[in-house]
Amino acid sequence: MDIFVVLTLLAIALQVFKTREQAQRIALLGSYLGQFQIEKLMQDVLSGYQRALGEADEQRQDQVWRHLATAEQTLCEQFNRFVLEFAKVPEPQARLSRLPLALPFVAQYVPTTTLDLRKLLSVHAHGITQACQNSPALARKRRAFTLSAELMLMQHSCHWFCRSKMVASTRLLARHQTAYAQVLAAVAPSTRQAYGQLIEN
């Protein structure tokens, strides 16, 4: 058989299996996220920060910050509940590939190139909680900057699990006009350290 035909058939087969795996991961993550309003709350908080930081009137700005406090607390509570629920997922189903491109069967046959999303989500939960509780104490603008980065990095991990790291980074840049490296630099040092240890080990 012509080598070109063989390679074409192989590429088609890999694409089919990759698409099937991604659909399964999307369905799995969606079945847990669907119980909460995390994405909506995240958008409310991020857009609220933009309003607060763009408000020239100090009194009006204070009102926006106070309104955001409730949304932040609800988001934090819901995300922590989500992480506890997702922790029940069996370990093989929670693995994502460290490779930049998505390839099928990596989690099953090359587990050393994967990491556990459950552990990654725990890192995000801690970072988001610390930022919401403002520990350590930060000025409003700095706190908003840090929590925004924590939320974006969490979203990146979810997209990474569903697709690939490359796709997640592309979506991050498209949605938030922020590069992956910029987000990593903006999260709390404790998040950056714990996150780095997970993805590098």
Side-chain angles (χ1 to χ4, degrees), residues 55-129:
E55 183 60 60
D57 182 76
E58 190 172 331
Q59 187 174 6
R60 174 59 184 156
Q61 191 180 72
D62 285 340
Q63 291 175 349
V64 177
W65 285 120
R66 285 196 298 271
H67 173 74
L68 281 170
T70 301
E72 290 170 349
Q73 187 60 36
T74 304
L75 172 59
C76 182
E77 291 172 356
Q78 288 206 12
F79 187 74
N80 277 284
R81 284 166 52 202
F82 157 69
V83 171
L84 287 174
E85 287 297 313
F86 195 82
K88 300 173 184 176
V89 173
E91 188 263 350
Q93 295 179 36
R95 302 204 72 79
L96 66 151
S97 174
R98 288 192 180 92
L99 303 176
L101 297 175
L103 293 173
F105 310 120
V106 168
Q108 296 95 316
Y109 298 113
V110 200
T112 54
T113 64
T114 65
L115 61 107
D116 192 335
L117 179 64
R118 300 171 304 176
K119 294 179 180 179
L120 209 52
L121 290 175
S122 293
V123 170
H124 295 314
H126 182 265
I128 291 169
T129 299

Side-chain angles (χ1 to χ4, degrees), residues 170-183:
T170 301
R171 286 186 175 181
L172 178 65
L173 188 59
R175 287 190 177 190
H176 303 292
Q177 293 74 54
T178 308
Y180 174 60
Q182 289 177 296
V183 170

